Amino acid sequence: MSKHPQGVIATYREFLPVTDKTPIVSLHEGRTPLIAARQLGKTFNPPIAVYLKCEGFNPTGSFKDRGMCLAISKALEKKARAVICASTGNTSASASAYGARAGLPVCVVIPEGEIAMGKLAQAIIHGAKVLQIKGNFDVALDMVKEIAANQSLEIVNSINPFRIEGQKTAAFEVCDVLGTMPTYHFLPVGNAGNITAYWKGYREYKDAKRISSLPKMMGFQAAGAAPIVIGRVVNNPETVASAIRIGNPASWKAAANAAAESSGTIDMVTDDEILDAYKMVAEQEGIFCEPASAASVAGLLKLARAGIFQANDAVVCTLTGHGLKDVDRAMAVASRPTTCVNAGDVAEAIRGWL
Ligand code: F0G
């Protein structure tokens, strides 16, 4: 076995609520790359250091694995008979994988026809019970809360505090790799658990004297699904970023607190801004994230235009999920469509290309 601890619990055990009795269910999540976005940072005036925390490199392709590792381990410790979640796709993919590994039955409740195909495929191949409902994520989560209480199932949405505990390890990793804290941390906001988790992580690292001050937390919702920004529940949230199509986030208050306490913000970006950022990180940085993930970069671009940054600022944007989860979107928006040519015409096609 490796001499290096593998997975977020082994790596950050002292910060997590586990004991010797907790059976650890891990797929070696975490330790995701923090990649300097050289093109992006250069275009700003003044140029600043921008890093992308690429959470799509987790075992199921999203940041959910950090929290799921802990939530499933604790469910097993508690001898839960099954776990359940509502999802816009990634939580269901992660729960299904970790549940399979733990030997725990998993039920996922998702909005019918509204989640990216890659994510649905993950839930199915890992053997989850998949229930598609006519209704959005918010309806699904309400339903799951009620059913879990009546049938004593363990909820593994981010209202489960162990999810937040596991997800806070991403903030630890950012600080460990940078050797310090960033000035700003940009994130997409959907159900608002992740920004809550990062803020908890940064505060705990400061309390443990691993960092000397705290970053500003910058959360971005999609304009058609921006309840925190407009200050009221959105009944029919709409955005191309299906992962954050949420109108009544469970961690609304905690996310608003994270922004307020850190002198950050919760703001919104349009679908066009999200898709521009999505293409930009793919074309200029070589990183394929899913549309919702690009809300963080879209937020960064929006605030860079507003001129808020100074030369020494270091900015981290979390790219929450992998682009391969939603290839339909990529095919729909790609700048260069494929060309079909006869085999004999390939040389000629290349000549006209560069
Ligand atoms: N980015 C991606 C790719 C997501 O899947 C999610 C949430 C978010 C951002 C927002 O994170 O909810 O902590 O504010 N996906 C959940 C799901 C809701 O069911 O997979 P959040």
Side-chain angles (χ1 to χ4, degrees):
M1 289 297 278
S2 164
K3 283 192 209 138
H4 299 289
Q6 301 279 5
V8 295
I9 297 180
T11 307
Y12 294 110
R13 201 176 173 93
E14 61 189 295
F15 291 95
L16 295 170
V18 291
T19 68
D20 293 346
K21 297 204 177 62
T22 315
I24 308 300
V25 183
S26 173
L27 289 164
H28 296 193
E29 59 294 317
R31 216 172 270 178
T32 56
L34 185 69
I35 300 179
R38 301 201 195 285
Q39 299 305 324
L40 197 56
K42 253 194 334 214
T43 57
F44 299 160
N45 187 16
I48 56 167
V50 178
Y51 301 91
L52 304 174
K53 180 66 170 158
C54 297
E55 290 287 273
F57 288 70
N58 275 299
T60 77
S62 87
F63 70 97
K64 306 285 180 181
D65 296 341
R66 297 176 180 276
M68 205 55 73
C69 165
L70 204 67
I72 295 289
S73 296
K74 295 302 276 189
L76 208 57
E77 180 177 0
K78 219 177 138 179
K79 302 200 164 38
R81 64 187 180 114
V83 303
I84 187 166
C85 66
S87 185
T88 56
N90 281 321
T91 299
S92 57
S94 186
S96 304
Y98 282 77
R101 189 153 179 92
L104 264 176
V106 177
C107 176
V108 308
V109 185
I110 55 174
E112 184 187 10
E114 302 288 339
I115 79 170
M117 207 47 82
K119 303 174 187 181
L120 181 56
Q122 288 179 288
I124 292 170
I125 197 74
H126 290 304
K129 170 89 178 160
V130 179
L131 300 175
Q132 305 210 50
I133 62 158
K134 298 221 183 305
N136 61 30
F137 170 85
D138 303 294
V139 174
L141 184 57
D142 282 346
M143 230 174 233
V144 160
K145 282 192 217 163
E146 200 183 306
I147 295 162
N150 290 340
Q151 303 196 21
S152 55
L153 303 172
E154 205 60 18
I155 297 187
V156 293
N157 282 104
S158 57
I159 51 175
N160 178 329
F162 297 125
R163 281 277 314 279
I164 304 288
E165 291 294 319
Q167 282 173 211
K168 75 186 179 190
T169 59
F172 299 164
E173 288 179 12
V174 167
C175 300
D176 289 348
V177 169
L178 287 181
T180 182
M181 61 288 156
T183 329
Y184 294 89
H185 196 122
F186 283 73
L187 288 154
V189 172
N191 212 24
N194 210 25
I195 191 169
T196 304
Y198 270 90
W199 181 232
K200 189 166 198 289
Y202 282 123
R203 277 180 304 150
E204 288 183 10
Y205 245 31
K206 178 153 183 287
D207 290 347
K209 306 213 166 10
R210 306 276 182 110
I211 53 175
S212 57
S213 63
L214 293 165
K216 295 181 170 57
M217 302 304 298
M218 316 295 280
F220 282 82
Q221 301 197 291
I228 304 178
V229 182
I230 63 173
R232 62 185 155 75
V233 170
V234 175
N235 287 324
N236 293 307
E238 256 322 319
T239 166
V240 287
S242 59
I244 54 171
R245 196 181 286 147
I246 294 176
N248 188 14
S251 298
W252 183 321
K253 274 216 185 95
N257 284 346
E261 288 169 15
S262 69
S263 307
T265 189
I266 307 276
D267 195 350
M268 60 187 176
V269 280
T270 64
D271 279 2
D272 283 349
E273 289 172 318
I274 289 173
L275 292 177
D276 284 349
Y278 168 69
K279 288 202 281 184
M280 179 188 269
V281 292
E283 291 173 359
Q284 296 183 18
E285 303 295 347
I287 298 165
F288 188 20
C289 66
E290 62 173 290
S293 304
S296 59
V297 174
L300 169 65
L301 293 168
K302 177 176 175 177
L303 296 195
R305 281 195 300 274
I308 73 158
F309 298 115
Q310 293 176 352
N312 290 329
D313 286 342
V315 172
V316 173
C317 294
T318 297
L319 297 180
T320 44
H322 204 288
L324 286 173
K325 285 177 173 265
D326 191 356
V327 291
D328 293 339
R329 183 61 58 192
M331 297 305 282
V333 305
S335 307
R336 287 174 185 237
T338 59
T339 329
C340 290
V341 291
N342 292 326
D345 297 336
V346 171
E348 185 53 36
I350 289 176
R351 239 172 262 129
W353 159 58
L354 286 175

